[in-house]
Amino acid sequence: QVQLVESGGGLVQPGGSLRLSCAASGSIFTINAMGWYRQAPGKERELVAMISSGSRTNYADSVKGRFTISRDNAKNTVYLQMNGLKPEDTAVYYCNAAITGRNYHADFYWGQGTQVTVSS
């Protein structure tokens, strides 16, 4: 069984920063791509950033230059450093990972979500 646990959300003023973390645990053989998605009220879930197993990154145009995704493979953890936050970044942020378990079953896993609110 594989679990993704997120942390680091909260309330921040416009222009502020937050760092999200997502740790994978359980019966893991290997972790491939990891990423962050977000869903604002009344909107569809959208990709924010993705990082491959070789640390190649991809960002939504709306966050380029402000957000940085990184990973620590030794800790099975992915991070999202968010700087220059704007009210339109307010959403629930979800971690996602492509994981192959020790039974060699591959699947996509989601975290429970963490709320990020940008407001003065």
Side-chain angles (χ1 to χ4, degrees), residues 7-112:
S7 59
L11 172 64
V12 64
Q13 292 187 343
S17 299
L18 282 175
R19 189 192 195 207
L20 305 182
S21 300
C22 172
S25 63
S27 182
I28 296 171
F29 177 67
T30 187
I31 301 177
N32 300 306
M34 303 182 83
W36 291 94
Y37 289 72
R38 68 186 180 187
Q39 188 167 19
K43 295 188 176 181
E44 293 189 354
R45 191 173 296 189
E46 63 175 359
L47 174 67
V48 176
M50 185 70 68
I51 185 167
S52 71
S53 57
S55 293
R56 293 183 65 179
T57 59
N58 184 40
Y59 296 92
D61 288 342
S62 59
V63 306
K64 281 181 181 176
R66 299 188 298 120
F67 291 10
T68 302
I69 189 170
S70 61
R71 63 190 288 170
D72 184 336
N73 292 328
K75 295 181 178 180
N76 290 340
T77 299
V78 63
Y79 305 96
L80 186 68
Q81 177 66 44
M82 305 185 292
N83 299 328
L85 283 159
K86 304 175 180 180
E88 51 263 42
D89 294 318
T90 296
V92 178
Y93 285 69
Y94 296 91
C95 172
N96 174 269
I99 296 174
T100 300
R102 290 181 182 153
N103 61 358
Y104 301 108
H105 172 73
D107 207 341
F108 292 98
Y109 294 87
W110 291 92
Q112 80 282 2

